[in-house]
Amino acid sequence: MLAAAMWSVLAISVLAVMAVFGSMAVHLLRASETPAFWMAPLIGCAYVLMFPGGACGLLLTTVLDDRSPARVVVTAIAILLLAGAVLCTAQVIRQGWLTRRQNRRSKRILSRTEVLALIRSGEVERFAKRQESLQMFLKPDPTGKDMVRTRRADPRDYSECVAAANDVRDQVGVIHYHNSDNPLDPSSPGGRWITPEEAAELLNAGEIKTFSFGDPEASFIGPGEHGQITFHGIPTGIKLADYGWVRHISVTPAMEPTMIPIARAAQARHGIPQFSINGHNE
């Protein structure tokens, strides 16, 4: 009776493991990016059953004949089950340790030197000042090892982070930033007049979200803002509303013949900017 029970446990364990490998094979053959919803519980069940299955297999070897082929097969299966269980346990422990370590890293407040070095290295994709926290979002890890790609910094360092992001724009690309507490934070670049050459460069680089023309009073020049931004510099007929995380251009009627063809060509190439005519999106 006891032997029959152990045979049953061993057989169920082997079937569960075979089901897992079969499901994974089907998943790979279908090239599906999202595993079926039942794969996770199936893998968990197989993992749990490997321990009693391996133990029952070793116990069965004590009652089987030494020269029996069944004993060799059962011994091999038991060793494989227990070895797989040990390796899976080690991987779970390792992953849990890595996750806790990454969580500690993401919760630690970086010093000003550390966060500025991170921005200048080009590893930061964007950052946002939210309430009493400055959240840094890093670019994806190409190795896939670091799953937690956020860091925290002192919100008082936001102005220095904005300046650093603007300084390295040509070297590492655009780093988007945003102050959720105040979208028109004075530490952000805000609004300024720019030359046709600079406007063309920004448009051709795909950095302009909205291109506005038509009625100057209705031109969309910022998130929910209509003419409330102070533009610095010498008036050139081209306004840039620069928030770091998003940029808008508004042109006066005199500059429309010069800039509209350039903006149209940029739109055909990048899919942006969105055209706003007399305050209404095209």
Side-chain angles (χ1 to χ4, degrees):
M1 190 69 177
L2 181 60
M6 289 191 293
W7 277 111
S8 298
V9 173
L10 178 61
I12 293 173
S13 302
V14 172
L15 288 175
V17 173
M18 291 177 63
V20 169
F21 281 105
S23 299
M24 288 182 174
V26 172
H27 176 68
L28 291 175
L29 289 174
R30 291 182 176 178
S32 175
E33 294 183 0
T34 305
F37 71 93
W38 44 263
M39 284 188 65
L42 179 61
I43 292 172
C45 180
Y47 168 64
V48 172
L49 288 173
M50 281 193 293
F51 289 99
C56 288
L58 290 180
L59 290 174
L60 284 171
T61 59
T62 61
V63 299
L64 293 173
D65 188 87
D66 291 346
R67 291 170 293 181
S68 171
R71 182 179 184 184
V72 177
V73 174
V74 170
T75 301
I77 292 175
I79 292 174
L80 288 175
L81 287 174
L82 290 175
V86 171
L87 289 175
C88 289
T89 302
Q91 180 62 24
V92 169
I93 294 173
R94 177 178 177 274
Q95 192 61 42
W97 178 79
L98 288 175
T99 301
R100 286 194 295 271
R101 180 184 177 187
Q102 291 171 359
N103 286 335
R104 286 197 299 269
R105 289 177 62 193
S106 65
K107 292 178 180 178
R108 186 175 72 88
I109 303 297
L110 298 178
S111 67
R112 180 178 299 178
T113 302
E114 289 175 311
V115 72
L116 293 181
L118 203 60
I119 291 173
R120 294 182 180 121
S121 70
E123 196 172 353
V124 176
E125 184 175 63
R126 57 193 172 93
F127 58 90
K129 183 180 180 183
R130 296 174 178 172
Q131 296 180 352
E132 298 181 356
S133 172
L134 179 55
Q135 197 80 5
M136 315 295 296
F137 299 89
L138 309 186
K139 295 178 181 178
D141 182 8
T143 66
K145 295 180 179 179
D146 189 356
M147 301 300 293
V148 182
R149 303 292 288 167
T150 58
R151 301 291 184 269
R152 294 177 62 192
D154 192 323
R156 292 174 296 182
D157 296 335
Y158 178 74
S159 299
E160 286 77 5
C161 291
V162 168
N166 292 332
D167 287 342
V168 299
R169 184 180 300 173
D170 293 336
Q171 290 76 35
V172 305
V174 176
I175 299 176
H176 303 292
Y177 51 83
H178 179 52
N179 184 349
S180 297
D181 294 338
N182 179 13
L184 301 179
D185 189 292
S187 65
S188 297
R192 58 190 175 91
W193 296 93
I194 60 174
T195 64
E197 293 76 17
E198 186 176 358
E201 182 179 353
L202 291 170
L203 286 164
N204 292 330
E207 292 190 21
I208 301 302
K209 182 178 180 181
T210 306
F211 182 89
S212 305
F213 63 94
D215 182 1
E217 296 300 322
S219 292
F220 179 76
I221 56 174
E225 301 297 326
H226 297 270
Q228 298 179 15
I229 302 176
T230 300
F231 290 85
H232 304 283
I234 300 174
T236 60
I238 306 173
K239 299 176 179 178
L240 172 67
D242 189 343
Y243 299 95
W245 64 286
V246 65
R247 294 176 174 84
H248 310 274
I249 279 179
S250 176
V251 299
T252 60
M255 293 302 299
E256 289 178 11
T258 301
M259 297 308 305
I260 288 178
I262 298 174
R264 289 291 184 191
Q267 185 188 54
R269 186 181 305 113
H270 302 290
I272 53 174
Q274 166 72 52
F275 275 73
S276 176
I277 307 171
N278 298 324
H280 300 283
N281 285 340
E282 187 179 55

Short mmCIF file of all heavy atoms in Angstrom, two decimals, residues 7 10 53-62 64 68-81:
data_model
loop_
_atom_site.label_atom_id
_atom_site.label_comp_id
_atom_site.label_asym_id
_atom_site.label_seq_id
_atom_site.Cartn_x
_atom_site.Cartn_y
_atom_site.Cartn_z
N TRP A 7 4.67 5.31 -5.57
CA TRP A 7 4.67 5.27 -7.03
C TRP A 7 3.73 6.34 -7.61
O TRP A 7 4.06 6.99 -8.60
CB TRP A 7 4.22 3.89 -7.52
CG TRP A 7 5.30 2.85 -7.56
CD1 TRP A 7 5.43 1.76 -6.76
CD2 TRP A 7 6.42 2.81 -8.46
NE1 TRP A 7 6.54 1.03 -7.08
CE2 TRP A 7 7.18 1.66 -8.13
CE3 TRP A 7 6.86 3.63 -9.49
CZ2 TRP A 7 8.34 1.31 -8.80
CZ3 TRP A 7 8.02 3.28 -10.18
CH2 TRP A 7 8.76 2.14 -9.84
N LEU A 10 5.38 9.80 -7.25
CA LEU A 10 6.46 9.92 -8.23
C LEU A 10 5.90 10.14 -9.63
O LEU A 10 6.38 11.01 -10.38
CB LEU A 10 7.33 8.66 -8.20
CG LEU A 10 8.51 8.62 -9.21
CD1 LEU A 10 9.47 9.77 -8.95
CD2 LEU A 10 9.23 7.28 -9.14
N GLY A 53 8.17 14.03 -4.84
CA GLY A 53 8.41 13.07 -5.91
C GLY A 53 9.82 12.50 -5.85
O GLY A 53 10.03 11.29 -5.95
N GLY A 54 10.80 13.39 -5.65
CA GLY A 54 12.19 12.93 -5.54
C GLY A 54 12.41 12.08 -4.31
O GLY A 54 13.10 11.06 -4.36
N ALA A 55 11.80 12.50 -3.18
CA ALA A 55 11.95 11.73 -1.94
C ALA A 55 11.32 10.34 -2.08
O ALA A 55 11.92 9.33 -1.67
CB ALA A 55 11.31 12.49 -0.79
N CYS A 56 10.15 10.25 -2.70
CA CYS A 56 9.50 8.96 -2.90
C CYS A 56 10.32 8.08 -3.83
O CYS A 56 10.40 6.85 -3.64
CB CYS A 56 8.09 9.16 -3.46
SG CYS A 56 6.91 9.83 -2.26
N GLY A 57 10.93 8.70 -4.83
CA GLY A 57 11.76 7.92 -5.75
C GLY A 57 12.94 7.30 -5.04
O GLY A 57 13.28 6.12 -5.26
N LEU A 58 13.60 8.06 -4.15
CA LEU A 58 14.74 7.51 -3.40
C LEU A 58 14.29 6.40 -2.46
O LEU A 58 14.99 5.39 -2.28
CB LEU A 58 15.43 8.62 -2.63
CG LEU A 58 16.21 9.66 -3.46
CD1 LEU A 58 16.84 10.70 -2.54
CD2 LEU A 58 17.28 8.98 -4.31
N LEU A 59 13.13 6.55 -1.83
CA LEU A 59 12.63 5.51 -0.94
C LEU A 59 12.28 4.24 -1.71
O LEU A 59 12.49 3.12 -1.23
CB LEU A 59 11.39 6.01 -0.18
CG LEU A 59 11.65 7.10 0.88
CD1 LEU A 59 10.34 7.60 1.45
CD2 LEU A 59 12.54 6.55 2.00
N LEU A 60 11.78 4.40 -2.94
CA LEU A 60 11.43 3.23 -3.74
C LEU A 60 12.66 2.42 -4.14
O LEU A 60 12.58 1.19 -4.30
CB LEU A 60 10.67 3.66 -5.00
CG LEU A 60 9.20 4.04 -4.79
CD1 LEU A 60 8.63 4.64 -6.06
CD2 LEU A 60 8.38 2.82 -4.36
N THR A 61 13.79 3.10 -4.27
CA THR A 61 15.01 2.37 -4.65
C THR A 61 15.43 1.38 -3.57
O THR A 61 16.15 0.42 -3.85
CB THR A 61 16.16 3.35 -4.92
OG1 THR A 61 16.41 4.12 -3.74
CG2 THR A 61 15.83 4.28 -6.07
N THR A 62 14.97 1.61 -2.33
CA THR A 62 15.37 0.70 -1.24
C THR A 62 14.57 -0.60 -1.25
O THR A 62 14.98 -1.58 -0.64
CB THR A 62 15.17 1.39 0.12
OG1 THR A 62 13.78 1.72 0.29
CG2 THR A 62 15.98 2.68 0.20
N LEU A 64 13.32 -1.90 -4.30
CA LEU A 64 13.47 -2.53 -5.60
C LEU A 64 14.72 -3.39 -5.64
O LEU A 64 15.70 -3.14 -4.93
CB LEU A 64 13.55 -1.46 -6.71
CG LEU A 64 12.27 -0.64 -6.94
CD1 LEU A 64 12.53 0.48 -7.93
CD2 LEU A 64 11.14 -1.54 -7.43
N SER A 68 17.43 -4.69 -10.86
CA SER A 68 16.25 -4.35 -11.64
C SER A 68 16.48 -3.06 -12.44
O SER A 68 16.97 -2.06 -11.88
CB SER A 68 15.05 -4.15 -10.72
OG SER A 68 13.96 -3.63 -11.44
N PRO A 69 16.18 -3.06 -13.76
CA PRO A 69 16.30 -1.81 -14.55
C PRO A 69 15.42 -0.70 -13.99
O PRO A 69 15.75 0.49 -14.12
CB PRO A 69 15.83 -2.25 -15.95
CG PRO A 69 16.01 -3.72 -15.98
CD PRO A 69 15.76 -4.20 -14.59
N ALA A 70 14.29 -1.08 -13.37
CA ALA A 70 13.40 -0.07 -12.81
C ALA A 70 14.09 0.75 -11.74
O ALA A 70 13.84 1.95 -11.58
CB ALA A 70 12.14 -0.73 -12.25
N ARG A 71 14.97 0.09 -10.96
CA ARG A 71 15.66 0.81 -9.90
C ARG A 71 16.58 1.88 -10.48
O ARG A 71 16.67 2.99 -9.94
CB ARG A 71 16.47 -0.16 -9.04
CG ARG A 71 17.16 0.54 -7.88
CD ARG A 71 17.94 -0.41 -7.02
NE ARG A 71 18.49 0.30 -5.89
CZ ARG A 71 19.30 -0.25 -4.98
NH1 ARG A 71 19.62 -1.54 -5.08
NH2 ARG A 71 19.76 0.46 -3.98
N VAL A 72 17.26 1.55 -11.58
CA VAL A 72 18.15 2.54 -12.22
C VAL A 72 17.35 3.73 -12.71
O VAL A 72 17.72 4.89 -12.52
CB VAL A 72 18.93 1.88 -13.38
CG1 VAL A 72 19.80 2.93 -14.07
CG2 VAL A 72 19.77 0.73 -12.87
N VAL A 73 16.21 3.42 -13.36
CA VAL A 73 15.38 4.50 -13.90
C VAL A 73 14.81 5.36 -12.77
O VAL A 73 14.84 6.59 -12.83
CB VAL A 73 14.23 3.90 -14.74
CG1 VAL A 73 13.27 5.01 -15.18
CG2 VAL A 73 14.78 3.16 -15.94
N VAL A 74 14.30 4.70 -11.72
CA VAL A 74 13.72 5.45 -10.61
C VAL A 74 14.77 6.29 -9.91
O VAL A 74 14.52 7.44 -9.52
CB VAL A 74 13.05 4.48 -9.60
CG1 VAL A 74 12.67 5.20 -8.32
CG2 VAL A 74 11.81 3.84 -10.23
N THR A 75 15.98 5.74 -9.75
CA THR A 75 17.06 6.50 -9.11
C THR A 75 17.40 7.74 -9.92
O THR A 75 17.57 8.85 -9.36
CB THR A 75 18.32 5.62 -8.95
OG1 THR A 75 17.99 4.47 -8.18
CG2 THR A 75 19.43 6.40 -8.28
N ALA A 76 17.50 7.58 -11.23
CA ALA A 76 17.82 8.71 -12.10
C ALA A 76 16.73 9.79 -12.02
O ALA A 76 17.02 10.99 -11.92
CB ALA A 76 18.00 8.24 -13.53
N ILE A 77 15.47 9.35 -12.06
CA ILE A 77 14.36 10.31 -11.99
C ILE A 77 14.35 11.04 -10.65
O ILE A 77 14.16 12.26 -10.58
CB ILE A 77 13.02 9.57 -12.22
CG1 ILE A 77 12.94 9.07 -13.67
CG2 ILE A 77 11.85 10.49 -11.91
CD1 ILE A 77 11.71 8.23 -13.95
N ALA A 78 14.58 10.30 -9.55
CA ALA A 78 14.58 10.92 -8.23
C ALA A 78 15.67 11.96 -8.11
O ALA A 78 15.46 13.06 -7.56
CB ALA A 78 14.74 9.83 -7.16
N ILE A 79 16.88 11.62 -8.61
CA ILE A 79 18.00 12.57 -8.54
C ILE A 79 17.69 13.82 -9.36
O ILE A 79 17.94 14.95 -8.93
CB ILE A 79 19.29 11.90 -9.02
CG1 ILE A 79 19.72 10.81 -8.02
CG2 ILE A 79 20.40 12.92 -9.19
CD1 ILE A 79 20.91 9.98 -8.47
N LEU A 80 17.11 13.62 -10.56
CA LEU A 80 16.78 14.77 -11.41
C LEU A 80 15.72 15.65 -10.76
O LEU A 80 15.81 16.88 -10.79
CB LEU A 80 16.29 14.28 -12.77
CG LEU A 80 17.36 13.68 -13.70
CD1 LEU A 80 16.71 13.12 -14.96
CD2 LEU A 80 18.41 14.73 -14.06
N LEU A 81 14.72 15.04 -10.14
CA LEU A 81 13.67 15.82 -9.48
C LEU A 81 14.22 16.62 -8.31
O LEU A 81 13.93 17.81 -8.17
CB LEU A 81 12.55 14.89 -9.00
CG LEU A 81 11.63 14.29 -10.07
CD1 LEU A 81 10.66 13.29 -9.44
CD2 LEU A 81 10.85 15.38 -10.80
#
